[in-house]
Amino acid sequence: MASDGSKLRVTGDKGDTGGTGDKGSRGDAGINGKDGITPQVHINTSTNMWEISTDEGDAWTSTGVQATGDIGVTGARGDSFFYGIDTDNGDYIVLTLMGADGSSAGEAIQLPRYKAFRILTGSEIADANMDTHNSPANVGTYKAVFYLSFPSGFTKDNYAGITAEVISNRGTSADVRTRTGSTLYSVAITQPEFDVSTGAYKDNAKIIVEAPSDINKGESAMLRVTLPGNDGSELVATRMFIVKLPEIGDYYYSDGTFSTELDVVNKTPIGVIFYVGDVANDDTQLKDKIGDTATGDHCLVVGLKNKSNYWKLTVGDTPASKETDKMVGYSNTLSLLQYNREHDPTDAALAV
């Protein structure tokens, strides 16, 4: 600092830039780096915790994160449609529905198992892939032979008979063979009628089935009715029926049917069966009318209403039987009718 207190300059002016120096020598190569390690994770089955390893699985460190949540409280049982399914039977499966209370068994439904039953031509018998043979068969002759492939495991015990039907626009031909060769049912069709103007069906077609004379009580059969369509389709209806023979106490109706339970809605009851057996054994005239009743399944009926008129024995004798140990009611009734025809038919006391 000068004597007068002013600051003095302590640096000189900037000099000129010097020239570039010589290039230095290359340094030594550095040491190679180590390969990187990818972290691994897994769940510890003992602790249920996620763990991580940075040394290729030699050591594991817990992350403190739980792999799964705690087991929750068991929920209420959901709605179930079925109570149980039984598959023990080889012919059918039983589905038991859940009851109304949701915990007990309800109605049981029996469903038949599918059984492969096929119609084959001669060239198809040896073909293992028989499932494909469902297309129309070209028979090429007036007389065709088809072979039947029965369901697997089908034995003599399963066989009750065979029905074969050929349905065409010419009509229906059928052949029925039974195992025992017993008498067959007779079947008659009442043709349906249709309205002339609208073509509507009049609901009057009927199938009349008559059981053979050697029928057994409780014997069952199946009625199969087919409606072929003009387009080659068909509607098939089947109905099982069980033969019920008359029993003492059954109700007898005006249409010739009978039942154990009284039906006044659909039928007109006219009597009650009081005897079942060989009703024509003693009555030759009844046997001439209805045939032999030795099978023992015919019945006699007492009317529900009493006849208001009566028979007067004092008027005269008749050829009616006096044997009280014989069932000849039909013949005796004919004798009474004949007597009245031979006498004054206007006498109310003689009307029978």
Side-chain angles (χ1 to χ4, degrees):
M1 182 177 279
S3 58
D4 59 3
S6 61
K7 294 180 179 180
L8 296 177
R9 181 178 181 184
V10 295
T11 60
D13 295 331
K14 181 178 180 181
D16 296 332
T17 301
T20 301
D22 296 333
K23 182 178 180 180
S25 61
R26 182 176 182 178
D28 297 334
I31 301 173
N32 293 335
K34 295 182 178 180
D35 294 335
I37 299 177
T38 302
Q40 301 178 10
V41 292
H42 77 179
I43 298 174
N44 188 315
T45 57
S46 299
T47 63
N48 196 38
M49 293 290 183
W50 284 104
E51 294 183 341
I52 187 169
S53 173
T54 57
D55 57 3
E56 298 183 345
D58 290 338
W60 294 89
T61 302
S62 175
T63 63
V65 178
Q66 191 169 317
T68 59
D70 295 332
I71 299 175
V73 178
T74 302
R77 181 176 179 176
D79 294 335
S80 176
F81 191 72
F82 295 109
Y83 179 83
I85 301 177
D86 184 358
T87 60
D88 291 340
N89 193 287
D91 293 328
Y92 55 83
I93 296 174
V94 178
L95 304 179
T96 303
L97 303 180
M98 183 64 70
D101 58 3
S103 60
S104 61
E107 180 183 0
I109 302 174
Q110 183 173 297
L111 300 177
R113 293 179 181 269
Y114 169 73
K115 295 182 178 181
F117 178 37
R118 302 180 179 89
I119 302 173
L120 306 174
T121 63
S123 61
E124 296 168 344
I125 296 176
D127 190 346
N129 190 22
M130 290 188 296
D131 288 334
T132 62
H133 301 314
N134 198 33
S135 57
N138 295 316
V139 294
T141 61
Y142 285 103
K143 184 176 183 179
V145 179
F146 292 96
Y147 297 87
L148 300 180
S149 173
F150 283 0
S152 176
F154 191 89
T155 66
K156 181 179 179 181
D157 293 337
N158 305 123
Y159 176 67
I162 295 179
T163 299
E165 296 176 308
V166 176
I167 303 171
S168 70
N169 57 6
R170 296 172 177 267
T172 300
S173 302
D175 188 16
V176 180
R177 300 298 172 92
T178 62
R179 179 175 60 182
T180 59
S182 57
T183 307
L184 301 179
Y185 288 81
S186 66
V187 182
I189 300 174
T190 299
Q191 285 272 34
E193 295 180 355
F194 302 91
D195 186 89
V196 176
S197 58
T198 65
Y201 170 50
K202 292 186 176 181
D203 292 322
N204 64 341
K206 295 185 295 184
I207 306 294
I208 302 173
V209 179
E210 184 176 349
S213 59
D214 59 351
I215 195 71
N216 296 314
K217 180 179 179 180
E219 186 173 316
S220 62
M222 183 181 74
L223 173 64
R224 181 179 185 270
V225 180
T226 303
L227 285 176
N230 293 327
D231 58 355
S233 63
E234 66 177 23
L235 293 175
V236 178
T238 60
R239 183 70 180 270
M240 294 296 299
F241 61 92
I242 301 175
V243 176
K244 182 189 183 306
L245 299 181
E247 297 182 69
I248 295 176
D250 283 352
Y251 296 96
Y252 192 83
Y253 301 100
S254 58
D255 61 357
T257 62
F258 52 90
S259 66
T260 302
E261 300 297 329
L262 180 62
D263 182 3
V264 295
V265 176
N266 304 304
K267 296 177 180 294
T268 302
I270 61 173
V272 175
I273 297 175
F274 72 91
Y275 177 84
V276 178
D278 188 359
V279 298
N281 181 57
D282 301 326
D283 198 326
T284 56
Q285 295 190 79
L286 179 59
K287 185 177 295 186
D288 291 340
K289 181 177 181 60
I290 65 175
D292 185 25
T293 60
T295 55
D297 52 17
H298 291 73
C299 62
L300 297 178
V301 178
V302 58
L304 295 179
K305 295 182 179 180
N306 289 327
K307 184 67 176 177
S308 58
N309 297 329
Y310 57 93
W311 175 253
K312 288 186 176 180
L313 291 178
T314 57
V315 174
D317 198 7
T318 72
S321 172
K322 304 295 191 299
E323 297 178 282
T324 57
D325 60 340
K326 303 291 185 181
M327 290 195 305
V328 288
Y330 180 75
S331 292
N332 283 345
T333 300
L334 294 181
S335 297
L336 297 179
L337 293 173
Q338 180 64 31
Y339 181 88
N340 284 349
R341 282 193 295 269
E342 294 174 352
H343 295 73
D344 186 359
T346 61
D347 189 342
L350 296 178
V352 177

Coordinates of all heavy atoms in Angstrom, one line a residue, residues 95-179:
L95 N -79.6 -89.6 -9.7 CA -79.4 -88.2 -9.2 C -80.4 -87.9 -8.1 O -81.6 -87.9 -8.4 CB -79.5 -87.3 -10.4 CG -78.6 -87.5 -11.6 CD1 -78.9 -86.5 -12.7 CD2 -77.2 -87.5 -11.3
T96 N -79.9 -87.6 -6.9 CA -80.8 -87.3 -5.8 C -80.7 -85.8 -5.6 O -79.7 -85.2 -5.4 CB -80.4 -88.0 -4.5 OG1 -80.4 -89.4 -4.7 CG2 -81.3 -87.7 -3.4
L97 N -81.9 -85.1 -5.8 CA -81.9 -83.7 -5.7 C -81.9 -83.3 -4.2 O -82.2 -84.1 -3.3 CB -83.2 -83.2 -6.3 CG -83.5 -83.5 -7.8 CD1 -84.8 -82.9 -8.3 CD2 -82.3 -83.0 -8.6
M98 N -81.4 -82.1 -4.0 CA -81.4 -81.5 -2.6 C -82.8 -81.2 -2.2 O -83.7 -80.8 -2.9 CB -80.6 -80.2 -2.6 CG -80.4 -79.6 -1.2 SD -79.5 -80.7 -0.1 CE -77.8 -80.6 -0.9
G99 N -83.1 -81.6 -0.9 CA -84.4 -81.4 -0.3 C -84.7 -79.9 -0.1 O -83.8 -79.0 -0.3
A100 N -85.9 -79.6 0.2 CA -86.3 -78.2 0.3 C -85.6 -77.5 1.5 O -85.4 -76.3 1.4 CB -87.9 -78.1 0.6
D101 N -85.2 -78.3 2.5 CA -84.5 -77.7 3.6 C -83.0 -77.4 3.3 O -82.3 -76.9 4.2 CB -84.6 -78.5 4.9 CG -84.1 -79.9 4.7 OD1 -83.6 -80.2 3.6 OD2 -84.2 -80.8 5.6
G102 N -82.5 -77.9 2.2 CA -81.1 -77.6 1.8 C -80.1 -78.5 2.5 O -78.9 -78.4 2.3
S103 N -80.6 -79.6 3.2 CA -79.6 -80.5 3.9 C -80.0 -81.9 3.8 O -79.2 -82.8 4.1 CB -79.5 -80.1 5.3 OG -80.8 -80.2 6.0
S104 N -81.2 -82.2 3.4 CA -81.7 -83.6 3.3 C -81.9 -84.0 1.9 O -82.0 -83.2 1.0 CB -82.9 -83.8 4.2 OG -84.0 -83.0 3.7
A105 N -82.1 -85.3 1.6 CA -82.3 -85.9 0.3 C -83.7 -85.6 -0.2 O -84.7 -85.7 0.6 CB -82.0 -87.4 0.3
G106 N -83.8 -85.2 -1.4 CA -85.1 -84.9 -2.0 C -85.5 -86.0 -3.0 O -85.2 -87.2 -2.8
E107 N -86.1 -85.6 -4.1 CA -86.5 -86.6 -5.1 C -85.3 -87.2 -5.9 O -84.3 -86.5 -6.1 CB -87.4 -85.9 -6.2 CG -87.9 -86.8 -7.3 CD -88.8 -86.0 -8.3 OE1 -88.9 -84.8 -8.1 OE2 -89.2 -86.7 -9.3
A108 N -85.4 -88.5 -6.1 CA -84.4 -89.2 -6.9 C -84.8 -89.4 -8.3 O -85.9 -89.8 -8.6 CB -84.1 -90.6 -6.2
I109 N -83.9 -89.1 -9.2 CA -84.1 -89.2 -10.7 C -83.2 -90.3 -11.2 O -81.9 -90.3 -11.0 CB -83.8 -87.9 -11.4 CG1 -84.7 -86.8 -10.8 CG2 -84.0 -88.1 -12.9 CD1 -84.4 -85.4 -11.4
Q110 N -83.7 -91.3 -11.9 CA -83.0 -92.4 -12.4 C -82.8 -92.2 -13.9 O -83.7 -92.1 -14.7 CB -83.7 -93.7 -12.2 CG -82.9 -95.0 -12.6 CD -83.6 -96.2 -12.2 OE1 -83.7 -96.5 -11.0 NE2 -84.0 -97.0 -13.1
L111 N -81.5 -92.1 -14.4 CA -81.2 -91.8 -15.8 C -80.5 -93.1 -16.3 O -79.5 -93.5 -15.8 CB -80.3 -90.6 -15.9 CG -80.8 -89.3 -15.4 CD1 -79.8 -88.2 -15.5 CD2 -82.1 -88.9 -16.1
P112 N -81.0 -93.6 -17.4 CA -80.4 -94.8 -18.1 C -79.0 -94.4 -18.7 O -78.9 -93.3 -19.2 CB -81.4 -95.2 -19.1 CG -82.1 -94.0 -19.5 CD -82.2 -93.2 -18.2
R113 N -78.1 -95.3 -18.6 CA -76.8 -95.0 -19.2 C -76.9 -95.3 -20.7 O -77.7 -96.1 -21.2 CB -75.7 -96.0 -18.6 CG -75.4 -95.7 -17.2 CD -74.3 -96.7 -16.7 NE -74.0 -96.6 -15.3 CZ -73.0 -95.8 -14.9 NH1 -72.2 -95.2 -15.8 NH2 -72.7 -95.7 -13.6
Y114 N -76.1 -94.6 -21.5 CA -76.0 -94.8 -22.9 C -75.5 -96.2 -23.2 O -74.4 -96.6 -22.7 CB -75.2 -93.7 -23.6 CG -74.9 -94.0 -25.0 CD1 -75.9 -93.9 -26.0 CD2 -73.6 -94.4 -25.4 CE1 -75.7 -94.2 -27.3 CE2 -73.4 -94.7 -26.8 CZ -74.4 -94.6 -27.7 OH -74.1 -94.9 -29.0
K115 N -76.2 -96.9 -24.1 CA -75.7 -98.2 -24.5 C -75.7 -98.2 -26.0 O -76.7 -98.0 -26.7 CB -76.6 -99.3 -24.0 CG -76.6 -99.4 -22.4 CD -77.4 -100.5 -21.9 CE -77.3 -100.6 -20.4 NZ -78.2 -101.7 -19.9
A116 N -74.6 -98.5 -26.6 CA -74.4 -98.5 -28.0 C -75.1 -99.7 -28.7 O -74.7 -100.8 -28.5 CB -72.9 -98.4 -28.4
F117 N -76.2 -99.4 -29.4 CA -76.9 -100.5 -30.1 C -77.0 -100.0 -31.6 O -77.6 -99.0 -31.8 CB -78.3 -100.6 -29.5 CG -79.2 -101.6 -30.1 CD1 -78.7 -102.8 -30.7 CD2 -80.6 -101.4 -30.3 CE1 -79.5 -103.7 -31.3 CE2 -81.4 -102.3 -30.9 CZ -80.8 -103.5 -31.4
R118 N -76.4 -100.8 -32.5 CA -76.3 -100.3 -33.8 C -76.8 -101.3 -34.9 O -76.8 -102.5 -34.6 CB -74.8 -100.0 -34.1 CG -74.2 -98.9 -33.2 CD -72.7 -98.7 -33.6 NE -72.1 -97.7 -32.7 CZ -71.5 -98.0 -31.6 NH1 -71.4 -99.2 -31.2 NH2 -71.0 -97.0 -30.8
I119 N -77.2 -100.7 -36.0 CA -77.6 -101.5 -37.2 C -76.5 -101.4 -38.2 O -76.2 -100.3 -38.6 CB -79.0 -101.0 -37.7 CG1 -80.1 -101.1 -36.6 CG2 -79.4 -101.8 -38.9 CD1 -81.4 -100.5 -37.0
L120 N -76.0 -102.5 -38.6 CA -74.8 -102.5 -39.5 C -75.0 -103.3 -40.8 O -75.9 -104.2 -40.8 CB -73.6 -103.0 -38.8 CG -73.2 -102.4 -37.4 CD1 -72.0 -103.2 -36.8 CD2 -72.8 -101.0 -37.6
T121 N -74.3 -102.9 -41.8 CA -74.3 -103.7 -43.0 C -73.2 -104.7 -42.9 O -72.4 -104.7 -42.0 CB -74.1 -102.8 -44.3 OG1 -72.8 -102.2 -44.2 CG2 -75.2 -101.8 -44.4
G122 N -73.2 -105.7 -43.8 CA -72.1 -106.7 -43.8 C -70.7 -106.2 -43.8 O -69.8 -106.7 -43.2
S123 N -70.5 -105.1 -44.6 CA -69.1 -104.6 -44.7 C -68.7 -103.8 -43.5 O -67.5 -103.5 -43.4 CB -69.1 -103.7 -46.0 OG -70.0 -102.6 -45.9
E124 N -69.7 -103.5 -42.7 CA -69.3 -102.6 -41.5 C -69.1 -103.4 -40.2 O -68.6 -102.9 -39.2 CB -70.5 -101.7 -41.2 CG -70.7 -100.7 -42.4 CD -72.0 -99.9 -42.2 OE1 -72.9 -100.3 -41.4 OE2 -72.2 -98.9 -42.9
I125 N -69.4 -104.7 -40.3 CA -69.3 -105.5 -39.0 C -67.9 -105.5 -38.5 O -67.7 -105.4 -37.2 CB -69.7 -107.0 -39.3 CG1 -71.2 -107.0 -39.7 CG2 -69.5 -107.9 -38.1 CD1 -71.7 -108.4 -40.0
A126 N -66.9 -105.7 -39.3 CA -65.5 -105.8 -38.8 C -64.8 -104.5 -38.6 O -63.7 -104.4 -38.1 CB -64.6 -106.6 -39.8
D127 N -65.5 -103.4 -38.9 CA -65.0 -102.0 -38.7 C -65.0 -101.7 -37.2 O -66.1 -101.6 -36.6 CB -65.7 -101.0 -39.5 CG -65.1 -99.7 -39.6 OD1 -64.1 -99.4 -38.8 OD2 -65.4 -98.9 -40.5
A128 N -63.8 -101.4 -36.7 CA -63.7 -101.0 -35.3 C -64.4 -99.7 -35.0 O -64.9 -99.4 -33.9 CB -62.3 -101.0 -34.8
N129 N -64.4 -98.8 -36.0 CA -64.9 -97.5 -35.8 C -66.4 -97.5 -36.2 O -66.8 -96.8 -37.1 CB -64.1 -96.5 -36.6 CG -64.5 -95.0 -36.3 OD1 -65.0 -94.7 -35.2 ND2 -64.2 -94.1 -37.2
M130 N -67.2 -98.2 -35.5 CA -68.6 -98.4 -35.8 C -69.4 -97.1 -35.5 O -70.5 -97.0 -36.0 CB -69.2 -99.6 -35.1 CG -68.7 -100.9 -35.6 SD -69.6 -102.3 -34.8 CE -69.2 -102.1 -33.1
D131 N -68.9 -96.2 -34.7 CA -69.6 -95.0 -34.4 C -69.9 -94.1 -35.6 O -70.8 -93.3 -35.6 CB -68.9 -94.2 -33.3 CG -68.9 -94.8 -32.0 OD1 -69.8 -95.6 -31.7 OD2 -67.9 -94.6 -31.2
T132 N -69.2 -94.3 -36.7 CA -69.4 -93.5 -37.8 C -70.5 -94.0 -38.7 O -70.9 -93.4 -39.7 CB -68.1 -93.4 -38.7 OG1 -67.7 -94.8 -39.1 CG2 -66.9 -92.9 -37.8
H133 N -71.0 -95.2 -38.4 CA -71.9 -95.9 -39.3 C -73.4 -95.5 -38.9 O -74.1 -96.3 -38.3 CB -71.8 -97.4 -39.3 CG -70.4 -97.8 -39.8 ND1 -69.8 -97.3 -40.9 CD2 -69.6 -98.7 -39.2 CE1 -68.6 -97.9 -41.0 NE2 -68.4 -98.7 -40.0
N134 N -73.7 -94.3 -39.2 CA -75.1 -93.8 -38.9 C -75.7 -93.1 -40.1 O -76.8 -92.5 -40.0 CB -75.1 -92.9 -37.7 CG -76.4 -92.7 -37.1 OD1 -77.2 -93.6 -37.1 ND2 -76.7 -91.5 -36.6
S135 N -75.0 -93.2 -41.2 CA -75.5 -92.5 -42.5 C -76.4 -93.5 -43.2 O -76.4 -94.7 -42.9 CB -74.4 -92.1 -43.4 OG -73.5 -93.2 -43.7
P136 N -77.2 -93.1 -44.1 CA -78.1 -94.0 -44.9 C -77.3 -95.1 -45.6 O -76.2 -94.9 -46.1 CB -78.8 -93.1 -45.9 CG -78.7 -91.7 -45.3 CD -77.5 -91.7 -44.5
A137 N -77.8 -96.3 -45.4 CA -77.1 -97.5 -46.0 C -77.6 -97.7 -47.4 O -78.8 -97.7 -47.7 CB -77.3 -98.7 -45.2
N138 N -76.7 -97.9 -48.4 CA -77.1 -98.3 -49.7 C -77.1 -99.8 -49.8 O -76.1 -100.5 -49.8 CB -76.0 -97.7 -50.7 CG -76.0 -96.2 -50.7 OD1 -77.0 -95.6 -50.7 ND2 -74.8 -95.6 -50.7
V139 N -78.4 -100.3 -49.9 CA -78.5 -101.8 -49.9 C -78.4 -102.4 -51.3 O -77.8 -103.4 -51.4 CB -79.9 -102.2 -49.3 CG1 -79.9 -101.8 -47.8 CG2 -81.0 -101.5 -50.0
G140 N -78.9 -101.7 -52.3 CA -78.6 -102.1 -53.7 C -79.4 -103.4 -54.1 O -79.2 -103.8 -55.3
T141 N -80.1 -104.0 -53.3 CA -80.9 -105.2 -53.6 C -82.3 -105.1 -53.1 O -82.6 -104.3 -52.2 CB -80.2 -106.5 -53.1 OG1 -80.2 -106.4 -51.6 CG2 -78.8 -106.6 -53.6
Y142 N -83.2 -106.0 -53.6 CA -84.5 -106.0 -53.1 C -84.6 -106.6 -51.7 O -85.5 -106.4 -50.9 CB -85.4 -106.8 -54.0 CG -85.8 -106.0 -55.3 CD1 -85.1 -106.3 -56.5 CD2 -86.7 -105.0 -55.2 CE1 -85.4 -105.6 -57.6 CE2 -87.0 -104.2 -56.4 CZ -86.4 -104.5 -57.6 OH -86.6 -103.8 -58.7
K143 N -83.6 -107.5 -51.4 CA -83.6 -108.1 -50.1 C -82.3 -107.7 -49.4 O -81.2 -108.1 -49.8 CB -83.6 -109.6 -50.2 CG -83.7 -110.4 -48.9 CD -83.9 -111.9 -49.1 CE -84.0 -112.6 -47.7 NZ -84.2 -114.0 -47.9
A144 N -82.4 -106.9 -48.3 CA -81.2 -106.4 -47.6 C -81.1 -107.1 -46.3 O -82.1 -107.5 -45.6 CB -81.4 -104.9 -47.4
V145 N -79.8 -107.4 -45.9 CA -79.5 -108.0 -44.6 C -78.8 -107.0 -43.8 O -77.7 -106.5 -44.2 CB -78.7 -109.3 -44.8 CG1 -78.3 -109.9 -43.5 CG2 -79.4 -110.3 -45.7
F146 N -79.3 -106.7 -42.6 CA -78.6 -105.9 -41.6 C -78.3 -106.7 -40.4 O -78.9 -107.6 -40.0 CB -79.6 -104.7 -41.2 CG -79.9 -103.7 -42.3 CD1 -81.0 -103.9 -43.1 CD2 -79.0 -102.7 -42.6 CE1 -81.3 -103.0 -44.1 CE2 -79.3 -101.8 -43.6 CZ -80.4 -101.9 -44.3
Y147 N -77.2 -106.3 -39.8 CA -76.7 -107.0 -38.6 C -76.8 -106.1 -37.4 O -76.6 -104.9 -37.5 CB -75.2 -107.5 -38.8 CG -75.1 -108.4 -40.0 CD1 -74.9 -108.0 -41.3 CD2 -75.1 -109.8 -39.8 CE1 -74.8 -108.9 -42.3 CE2 -75.0 -110.7 -40.8 CZ -74.9 -110.2 -42.1 OH -74.8 -111.1 -43.1
L148 N -77.1 -106.7 -36.3 CA -77.2 -105.9 -35.0 C -76.0 -106.0 -34.2 O -75.5 -107.1 -33.9 CB -78.5 -106.4 -34.3 CG -79.8 -106.3 -35.0 CD1 -80.9 -106.9 -34.2 CD2 -80.1 -104.9 -35.5
S149 N -75.5 -104.9 -33.7 CA -74.4 -104.8 -32.8 C -75.0 -104.5 -31.4 O -75.5 -103.3 -31.2 CB -73.4 -103.8 -33.2 OG -72.4 -103.6 -32.2
F150 N -75.1 -105.5 -30.5 CA -75.7 -105.2 -29.2 C -74.8 -104.5 -28.3 O -73.6 -104.4 -28.5 CB -76.1 -106.6 -28.6 CG -77.3 -107.2 -29.1 CD1 -78.0 -106.6 -30.2 CD2 -77.8 -108.4 -28.7 CE1 -79.2 -107.2 -30.7 CE2 -78.9 -109.0 -29.2 CZ -79.6 -108.4 -30.2
P151 N -75.3 -103.9 -27.2 CA -74.5 -103.1 -26.3 C -73.4 -104.0 -25.7 O -73.7 -105.3 -25.5 CB -75.5 -102.6 -25.3 CG -76.8 -102.6 -26.0 CD -76.8 -103.7 -26.9
S152 N -72.3 -103.5 -25.3 CA -71.3 -104.2 -24.6 C -71.8 -104.9 -23.3 O -72.5 -104.3 -22.5 CB -70.1 -103.3 -24.3 OG -69.1 -104.0 -23.6
G153 N -71.5 -106.2 -23.2 CA -71.9 -106.9 -22.0 C -73.3 -107.5 -22.0 O -73.8 -108.0 -21.1
F154 N -74.0 -107.3 -23.2 CA -75.4 -107.8 -23.4 C -75.4 -109.3 -23.3 O -74.6 -110.0 -24.1 CB -75.9 -107.3 -24.7 CG -77.4 -107.5 -24.8 CD1 -78.3 -106.6 -24.4 CD2 -77.9 -108.7 -25.4 CE1 -79.7 -106.7 -24.5 CE2 -79.3 -108.9 -25.6 CZ -80.2 -107.9 -25.1
T155 N -76.2 -109.9 -22.5 CA -76.3 -111.4 -22.3 C -77.7 -111.9 -22.5 O -78.6 -111.1 -22.7 CB -75.7 -111.8 -21.0 OG1 -76.7 -111.4 -20.0 CG2 -74.4 -111.3 -20.7
K156 N -77.8 -113.2 -22.4 CA -79.1 -113.8 -22.6 C -80.1 -113.3 -21.5 O -81.3 -113.2 -21.7 CB -79.0 -115.4 -22.5 CG -80.3 -116.1 -22.6 CD -80.1 -117.6 -22.5 CE -81.4 -118.4 -22.6 NZ -81.2 -119.9 -22.5
D157 N -79.6 -113.0 -20.3 CA -80.4 -112.5 -19.2 C -81.0 -111.2 -19.6 O -82.1 -110.8 -19.0 CB -79.7 -112.5 -17.9 CG -79.3 -113.8 -17.4 OD1 -79.9 -114.8 -17.8 OD2 -78.3 -113.9 -16.7
N158 N -80.4 -110.4 -20.4 CA -80.9 -109.1 -20.8 C -81.9 -109.2 -21.9 O -82.6 -108.2 -22.1 CB -79.7 -108.2 -21.2 CG -78.6 -108.1 -20.2 OD1 -77.5 -108.4 -20.5 ND2 -78.9 -107.6 -19.0
Y159 N -82.0 -110.3 -22.6 CA -82.8 -110.4 -23.8 C -84.2 -110.7 -23.4 O -84.5 -111.7 -22.8 CB -82.2 -111.4 -24.7 CG -83.1 -111.6 -26.0 CD1 -83.2 -110.6 -26.9 CD2 -83.7 -112.9 -26.2 CE1 -84.0 -110.8 -28.0 CE2 -84.5 -113.1 -27.3 CZ -84.6 -112.1 -28.2 OH -85.4 -112.3 -29.3
A160 N -85.2 -109.9 -23.9 CA -86.6 -110.2 -23.7 C -87.3 -110.3 -25.0 O -88.3 -111.0 -25.1 CB -87.3 -109.1 -22.9
G161 N -86.7 -109.7 -26.1 CA -87.4 -109.8 -27.4 C -86.8 -108.7 -28.3 O -86.1 -107.8 -27.9
I162 N -87.2 -108.7 -29.5 CA -86.8 -107.7 -30.5 C -88.1 -107.3 -31.4 O -88.8 -108.2 -31.8 CB -85.7 -108.3 -31.5 CG1 -84.5 -108.5 -30.7 CG2 -85.4 -107.2 -32.6 CD1 -83.4 -109.1 -31.6
T163 N -88.2 -106.0 -31.6 CA -89.2 -105.5 -32.5 C -88.5 -104.8 -33.6 O -87.6 -103.9 -33.3 CB -90.2 -104.6 -31.8 OG1 -90.8 -105.2 -30.7 CG2 -91.2 -104.0 -32.7
A164 N -88.8 -105.1 -34.8 CA -88.2 -104.4 -36.0 C -89.3 -103.8 -36.8 O -90.3 -104.5 -37.2 CB -87.4 -105.4 -36.8
E165 N -89.2 -102.5 -37.1 CA -90.2 -101.8 -37.9 C -89.6 -101.2 -39.1 O -88.5 -100.6 -39.0 CB -90.9 -100.7 -37.1 CG -91.7 -101.2 -35.9 CD -92.2 -100.1 -35.1 OE1 -91.5 -99.2 -34.7 OE2 -93.5 -100.0 -34.8
V166 N -90.2 -101.3 -40.2 CA -89.8 -100.6 -41.4 C -90.9 -99.6 -41.8 O -92.0 -100.0 -42.1 CB -89.6 -101.6 -42.6 CG1 -89.2 -100.8 -43.9 CG2 -88.4 -102.5 -42.3
I167 N -90.5 -98.3 -41.7 CA -91.5 -97.2 -41.8 C -91.2 -96.5 -43.1 O -90.1 -96.0 -43.3 CB -91.5 -96.3 -40.6 CG1 -91.7 -97.1 -39.3 CG2 -92.5 -95.2 -40.8 CD1 -91.5 -96.3 -38.1
S168 N -92.2 -96.4 -44.0 CA -92.0 -95.7 -45.2 C -93.3 -95.0 -45.6 O -94.3 -95.2 -44.9 CB -91.5 -96.6 -46.4 OG -92.5 -97.5 -46.7
N169 N -93.3 -94.4 -46.8 CA -94.6 -93.8 -47.2 C -95.6 -94.9 -47.7 O -96.7 -94.6 -48.0 CB -94.4 -92.8 -48.3 CG -93.6 -93.3 -49.5 OD1 -93.4 -94.5 -49.6 ND2 -93.2 -92.5 -50.4
R170 N -95.1 -96.1 -47.8 CA -96.0 -97.2 -48.1 C -96.8 -97.7 -46.9 O -97.8 -98.5 -47.0 CB -95.2 -98.4 -48.7 CG -94.5 -98.1 -50.0 CD -93.6 -99.2 -50.4 NE -93.0 -99.0 -51.7 CZ -93.5 -99.4 -52.8 NH1 -94.6 -100.1 -52.9 NH2 -92.9 -99.1 -54.0
G171 N -96.3 -97.3 -45.7 CA -96.9 -97.8 -44.5 C -95.8 -98.4 -43.6 O -94.6 -98.1 -43.8
T172 N -96.2 -99.2 -42.6 CA -95.2 -99.7 -41.6 C -95.4 -101.2 -41.6 O -96.5 -101.8 -41.5 CB -95.5 -99.2 -40.2 OG1 -95.4 -97.7 -40.2 CG2 -94.5 -99.7 -39.2
S173 N -94.2 -101.9 -41.7 CA -94.1 -103.3 -41.5 C -93.4 -103.6 -40.2 O -92.4 -102.9 -39.9 CB -93.4 -104.0 -42.7 OG -94.1 -103.6 -43.9
A174 N -93.8 -104.7 -39.5 CA -93.1 -105.0 -38.3 C -93.0 -106.5 -38.1 O -93.8 -107.2 -38.6 CB -93.9 -104.3 -37.1
D175 N -92.0 -106.8 -37.3 CA -91.8 -108.2 -36.9 C -91.4 -108.2 -35.4 O -90.6 -107.3 -35.0 CB -90.7 -108.9 -37.7 CG -90.7 -110.4 -37.4 OD1 -91.7 -110.9 -36.8 OD2 -89.7 -111.1 -37.7
V176 N -92.0 -109.1 -34.6 CA -91.7 -109.1 -33.2 C -91.3 -110.5 -32.8 O -92.0 -111.5 -33.2 CB -93.0 -108.7 -32.4 CG1 -92.7 -108.7 -30.9 CG2 -93.4 -107.3 -32.8
R177 N -90.2 -110.6 -32.1 CA -89.8 -111.9 -31.7 C -89.5 -111.8 -30.2 O -88.8 -110.9 -29.7 CB -88.5 -112.4 -32.4 CG -88.7 -112.5 -33.9 CD -89.7 -113.6 -34.2 NE -90.0 -113.6 -35.7 CZ -89.4 -114.3 -36.5 NH1 -88.4 -115.1 -36.2 NH2 -89.7 -114.3 -37.8
T178 N -90.0 -112.8 -29.4 CA -89.8 -112.8 -28.0 C -89.0 -114.0 -27.6 O -88.9 -115.0 -28.3 CB -91.1 -112.8 -27.2 OG1 -91.8 -114.1 -27.5 CG2 -92.0 -111.7 -27.5
R179 N -88.4 -113.9 -26.4 CA -87.5 -114.9 -26.0 C -88.3 -116.2 -25.7 O -87.8 -117.3 -26.0 CB -86.8 -114.5 -24.7 CG -85.8 -115.6 -24.1 CD -85.1 -115.0 -22.9 NE -86.0 -114.6 -21.8 CZ -85.5 -114.1 -20.7 NH1 -84.2 -113.9 -20.5 NH2 -86.3 -113.8 -19.7

